[in-house]
Amino acid sequence: MTLPGQISGPKELARFVDYLLLHPHVTKDELTRVCTSARELGLGGICVHTSRLAQAYHLLEGSGVKINA
């Protein structure tokens, strides 16, 4: 039984997890892999270097994963 305010399982917990990928020299393949994983796992967000914001927005469009810089 799940009480109000409790997390019921891994999928719900994933919404509270952010992935950090802040290195400015991240390759397109690395960013694609991270964004794909974030989308599939239903993560809350990813944090990327400002040089990769546009790419991350494109890769995560419509997924509900938030993007931070």
Side-chain angles (χ1 to χ4, degrees):
M1 177 168 109
T2 304
L3 299 174
Q6 286 187 321
I7 296 172
S8 63
K11 285 284 189 186
E12 190 175 335
L13 178 62
R15 296 181 305 127
F16 296 99
V17 176
D18 290 345
Y19 194 102
L20 302 177
L21 190 64
L22 297 173
H23 195 278
H25 302 293
V26 171
T27 66
K28 183 178 181 178
D29 289 341
E30 288 173 310
L31 182 64
T32 300
R33 181 183 50 80
V34 167
C35 288
T36 300
S37 293
R39 180 188 290 268
E40 289 173 356
L41 295 171
L43 297 185
I46 67 167
C47 188
V48 297
H49 190 271
T50 55
S51 65
R52 296 296 186 192
L53 277 175
Q55 207 173 4
Y57 277 113
H58 174 72
L59 291 166
L60 290 170
E61 188 173 14
S63 70
V65 177
K66 295 178 183 173
I67 302 166
N68 302 299

